[in-house]
Amino acid sequence: MPSITEPKLISGNANRPLAEGVAKRMSMHRGTAMGLVDARVERFNDGEIFVEVYENVRGEDMFIIQPTSNPANDNLMELLIISDTLRRSSAARMTAVIPYFGYARQDRRTKARTPISAKLVANMIGKSGIERVLTMDLHAAQIQGFFDIPVDNLYASPIFALDIKHHFKDNMDDVMVISPDVGGVARARELAKRINAPLAIVDKRREKPGEIAEMIVIGDVTGKRCIIVDDICDTAGTLCKAAEVLMEHGATEVHSYITHGVMSGPAVERVKNSVMKSLVITDSIQPTDEVKAAPNIRIVPTAPMFAQAILNIWGGTSVSSLFDHGTLEPLYEGMYS
């Protein structure tokens, strides 16, 4: 049965603009003004995190919006301490809305005497009192199995499909989806099916982490508008190199659609100076001023999808319905006609 309580949103400091956007969208969907729960998340002089909630949350269905992006450790601790605060304040249920799940790249042991940090973080979240996790484009889908609580993993590909069809509507016959590595083929294939486009792969070989020795294009990209699809853009080295290789193999244009724009170190400068015509990222990680100012970086909002997913969880209806193009399109009607 649907909950009789109202859904309530609370946010840490990781991505407050996204949290406010979600609250605004939920207000539009429900026809009732909604805001974030009045609280403060501060630090003592030695860096310890302190949380105080100013509203009564007893018996409420709480949604904590907090990506664990840079600084990952601080934002993770904020999430855990907020959940402990709500649990001790007698909240009925707590759902962690983690648009970007940090430590997801450490999902296996690549060599001896290394951690599986994604599992450790999953254990910490589960033990903090959180009863459900809502996230987007986990680096590896099997991370859902690290949790002993339900996990809803949303996908950015339906949003990207709408965006591609809108911006390439006159040239869809020339569009080709590119996976930047063999491991991302499933993600790229899923988007290619949505827009009815062919698929190619850029296979890379690394001598050591962070250094690419060789890239090979599997497929014919001659005369194609190539769209590289991936889940994370960190330093953008692989992305920019892949764009160069595609242009060398005859591509007419290269665009990239990346879910999580980590954009650390020289990433923005690399993208600005690259052969890519555009890089599209979501706001799952709060973009810096440098990212916003980059002429070839564009940001698409995830608030409409997260707002509807939260309402579906609260109302006990399907979250997977948001994977369908027909369900998602009305949510983005103002952006993509």
Side-chain angles (χ1 to χ4, degrees), residues 150-206:
V151 176
D152 291 306
N153 184 32
L154 300 177
Y155 299 100
S157 58
I159 306 174
F160 289 163
L162 290 174
D163 193 273
I164 292 168
K165 288 179 178 179
H166 179 76
H167 285 89
F168 296 89
K169 57 187 174 184
D170 297 326
N171 307 106
M172 286 302 296
D173 291 341
D174 298 332
V175 169
M176 175 176 272
V177 176
I178 310 294
S179 173
D181 52 45
V182 174
V185 171
R187 182 181 295 106
R189 185 189 298 120
E190 204 271 337
L191 178 61
K193 286 182 179 179
R194 286 182 181 275
I195 63 174
N196 195 26
L199 175 69
I201 304 167
V202 177
D203 185 29
K204 64 176 181 284
R205 179 170 59 86
R206 295 182 187 270

Side-chain angles (χ1 to χ4, degrees), residues 20 61 75 103 118 138 143 173 210 225 234 259:
E20 291 170 348
D61 195 356
N75 289 330
Y103 285 101
L138 285 170
I143 291 175
D173 291 341
R225 287 179 168 84
D234 192 349
T259 306

Side-chain angles (χ1 to χ4, degrees), residues 31-327:
T32 303
M34 287 193 64
L36 301 177
V37 167
D38 189 14
R40 63 172 174 145
V41 182
E42 297 179 348
R43 281 162 178 74
F44 293 122
N45 292 332
D46 62 353
E48 286 187 8
I49 296 167
F50 174 74
V51 175
E52 184 177 6
V53 179
Y54 296 119
E55 296 182 25
N56 178 28
V57 296
R58 182 180 297 274
E60 297 289 355
D61 195 356
M62 301 299 303
F63 293 84
I64 310 167
I65 303 175
Q66 178 78 347
T68 53
S69 48
N70 183 43
N73 299 331
D74 286 359
N75 289 330
L76 175 60
M77 281 304 299
E78 280 190 13
L79 172 63
L80 299 176
I81 293 173
I82 291 172
S83 67
D84 185 71
T85 304
L86 296 175
R87 180 171 61 88
R88 295 178 187 278
S89 302
S90 301
R93 183 175 70 165
M94 290 179 291
T95 299
V97 182
I98 311 176
Y100 171 70
F101 182 74
Y103 285 101
R105 285 174 281 185
Q106 300 183 47
D107 63 326
R108 64 195 184 281
R109 297 183 70 195
T110 56
K111 57 182 74 174
R113 295 176 296 280
T114 57
I116 304 180
S117 303
K119 171 60 176 170
L120 173 63
V121 172
N123 287 344
M124 293 167 66
I125 290 173
K127 294 295 184 183
S128 70
I130 289 168
E131 298 174 50
R132 178 182 290 271
V133 170
L134 175 63
T135 187
M136 175 175 277
D137 272 350
L138 285 170
H139 184 63
Q142 63 266 24
I143 291 175
Q144 297 173 77
F146 291 178
F147 290 88
D148 294 324
I149 55 178
V151 176
D152 291 306
N153 184 32
L154 300 177
Y155 299 100
S157 58
I159 306 174
F160 289 163
L162 290 174
D163 193 273
I164 292 168
K165 288 179 178 179
H166 179 76
H167 285 89
F168 296 89
K169 57 187 174 184
D170 297 326
N171 307 106
M172 286 302 296
D173 291 341
D174 298 332
V175 169
M176 175 176 272
V177 176
I178 310 294
S179 173
D181 52 45
V182 174
V185 171
R187 182 181 295 106
R189 185 189 298 120
E190 204 271 337
L191 178 61
K193 286 182 179 179
R194 286 182 181 275
I195 63 174
N196 195 26
L199 175 69
I201 304 167
V202 177
D203 185 29
K204 64 176 181 284
R205 179 170 59 86
R206 295 182 187 270
E207 293 294 335
K208 58 183 179 180
E211 293 187 9
I212 302 166
E214 185 181 11
M215 279 191 166
I216 301 171
V217 178
I218 304 174
D220 184 11
V221 299
T222 305
K224 295 293 185 180
R225 287 179 168 84
C226 293
I227 297 178
I228 302 173
V229 182
D230 209 353
D231 64 322
I232 295 174
C233 177
D234 192 349
T235 60
T238 299
L239 194 63
C240 293
K241 178 65 175 176
E244 291 175 8
V245 172
L246 289 168
M247 291 298 288
E248 290 169 2
H249 280 72
T252 58
E253 295 177 0
V254 178
H255 305 262
S256 295
Y257 280 74
I258 311 294
T259 306
H260 307 298
V262 177
M263 308 302 287
S264 58
V268 176
E269 199 63 31
R270 282 176 174 171
V271 171
K272 287 196 293 187
N273 297 326
S274 73
V275 298
M276 278 189 299
K277 291 199 69 174
S278 69
L279 167 62
V280 180
I281 59 176
T282 75
D283 58 355
S284 62
I285 297 173
Q286 185 173 349
T288 63
D289 292 338
E290 188 181 14
V291 170
K292 293 177 182 177
N296 57 344
I297 298 179
R298 189 158 52 84
I299 302 163
V300 296
T302 57
M305 176 180 274
F306 276 111
Q308 190 61 54
I310 289 170
L311 289 173
N312 288 7
I313 291 171
W314 167 69
T317 56
S318 171
V319 173
S320 61
S321 63
L322 294 172
F323 304 161
D324 182 64
H325 173 84
T327 305

